[in-house]
Amino acid sequence: MAESKKLSLISMSGDFDKVIAVFTLASGAAAVGYEVNIFFTFWGLNSIKKQTGRSFLGQGGLARLFNFLLGGRKKLPLSRLNFGGLSPILMNGMMKGKNVATLEELFGASKALGVNFYACEMAMHVLELTRDDFIPEVKDVLGVASFLELSKGGQTLFI
């Protein structure tokens, strides 16, 4: 019986550099035939929002403020040396200069290669996000137990 190749990633961070790692691993694994599943939770949800900039999402005041401050995929800060939001712009320029795929290119490749995106039900509830706040490629909204079941038989990494 052939061994199935499966990689499951838990994306909790909303930091630019960590999200780059998520989509580098996801697109790379999918390109060589792995089944890839990504579970986006808390700040990781920013990567899959429809709104890629800042927007007031949710109903309550705190949820709207958090979602505005967190932003979307194009407003992710670097985990270190963010320089008031300038560093992601500089990093994208450096990546392009070195012919390295940018975050948007890795994200697009992951979608094109059929990586499975899942949103965390609990984090969505806390942040008052709905399924409509996310890109259509989000396959499902799951709890932890369902994601662990889906991840069985493969390798799981937390980023």
Side-chain angles (χ1 to χ4, degrees):
M1 184 171 164
E3 180 181 327
S4 68
K5 299 186 300 183
K6 184 189 298 188
L7 176 64
S8 296
L9 302 167
I10 301 167
S11 176
M12 182 174 178
S13 175
D15 292 332
F16 177 88
D17 41 324
K18 293 175 184 172
V19 173
I20 288 270
V22 166
F23 288 111
T24 298
L25 288 167
S27 60
V32 294
Y34 278 68
E35 173 189 337
V36 181
N37 303 302
I38 308 176
F39 184 68
F40 296 92
T41 186
F42 283 97
W43 313 149
L45 290 169
N46 297 331
S47 305
I48 54 171
K49 286 179 181 173
K50 277 184 195 167
Q51 300 291 329
T52 57
R54 299 196 188 285
S55 58
F56 291 103
L57 301 173
Q59 298 299 312
L62 279 176
R64 293 176 59 79
L65 179 63
F66 261 102
N67 285 307
F68 178 80
L69 293 173
L70 292 169
R73 198 172 49 260
K74 291 189 177 172
K75 289 294 181 186
L76 303 177
L78 248 63
S79 61
R80 295 175 187 233
L81 306 172
N82 190 43
F83 298 122
L86 185 60
S87 290
I89 297 166
L90 297 173
M91 186 62 73
N92 270 325
M94 291 169 63
M95 293 169 83
K96 285 179 184 173
K98 302 289 184 192
N99 292 321
V100 173
T102 63
L103 173 57
E104 284 303 311
E105 291 167 335
L106 293 166
F107 179 72
S110 295
K111 289 191 310 185
L113 291 166
V115 170
N116 300 308
F117 297 164
Y118 298 96
C120 173
E121 183 177 32
M122 181 189 70
M124 286 175 59
H125 181 67
V126 170
L127 295 169
E128 298 183 8
L129 295 168
T130 67
R131 178 79 187 244
D132 289 338
D133 295 323
F134 298 107
I135 59 172
E137 289 84 359
V138 172
K139 195 169 185 176
D140 205 354
V141 175
L142 302 175
V144 170
S146 298
F147 185 73
L148 291 175
E149 186 65 32
L150 200 139
S151 303
K152 270 187 180 173
Q155 189 169 21
T156 302
L157 301 174
F158 182 89
I159 300 174

